[in-house]
Amino acid sequence: QVQLGESGGGLVQAGESLRLFCAAFGRTSRSYAMGWFRQAPGKEREFVAAISWSGSTYYADSAKGRFTISRVNAKNTVYLEMNSLKPDDTAVYYCAAGTQTQYSGSYYSQERYDYWGQGTQVTVSS
């Protein structure tokens, strides 16, 4: 079992920045893929960013150039640095862990991830 806890969300104005944190507990491993997804009101949950065990990163088009995902394995923590925030970034942000290390599918797909956090709210005002 892996438990994930997100923090760092809040209310900011457009153009400002936030840094989200995801702490992993339990059966943690640096071999896991880690991802961030978000869900806005009335919309489906969508991919934001992911990072592989080796540090390769993947971003949604909406996040490229503004968001940065990183991980510190020694701390079992994943970060999402979000800059130049827009009102369209308003959503609940979820951290996810993919523990099936032999999974060969896309980092962009929710199917890759088998543990999820409870989410942290990000609200960007115009």
Side-chain angles (χ1 to χ4, degrees):
Q1 288 281 342
V2 177
Q3 294 81 43
L4 301 173
E6 303 97 333
S7 61
L11 172 63
V12 296
Q13 293 188 334
E16 294 185 339
S17 300
L18 275 176
R19 193 183 199 198
L20 303 184
F21 302 81
C22 173
F25 304 91
R27 191 171 61 85
T28 60
S29 171
R30 63 183 61 202
S31 298
Y32 299 160
M34 300 297 297
W36 285 97
F37 289 75
R38 68 186 183 186
Q39 187 168 20
K43 296 186 178 180
E44 294 186 353
R45 188 161 58 185
E46 64 178 7
F47 171 81
V48 177
I51 187 167
S52 73
W53 67 271
S54 63
S56 296
T57 56
Y58 308 83
Y59 294 97
D61 287 343
S62 60
K64 288 178 182 177
R66 298 189 301 127
F67 295 3
T68 302
I69 188 171
S70 59
R71 65 191 297 169
V72 178
N73 291 327
K75 296 183 177 181
N76 293 319
T77 302
V78 178
Y79 306 91
L80 185 67
E81 184 78 30
M82 303 187 296
N83 299 314
S84 302
L85 283 163
K86 307 173 182 179
D88 285 348
D89 295 319
T90 296
V92 177
Y93 283 70
Y94 297 92
C95 177
T99 67
Q100 305 303 313
T101 56
Q102 300 303 311
Y103 183 86
S104 60
S106 171
Y107 280 84
Y108 300 82
S109 171
Q110 296 186 46
E111 293 182 354
R112 187 180 191 96
Y113 305 92
D114 44 356
Y115 290 95
W116 296 80
Q118 294 299 306
T120 184
Q121 176 70 47
V122 172
T123 303
V124 184
S125 64
S126 58

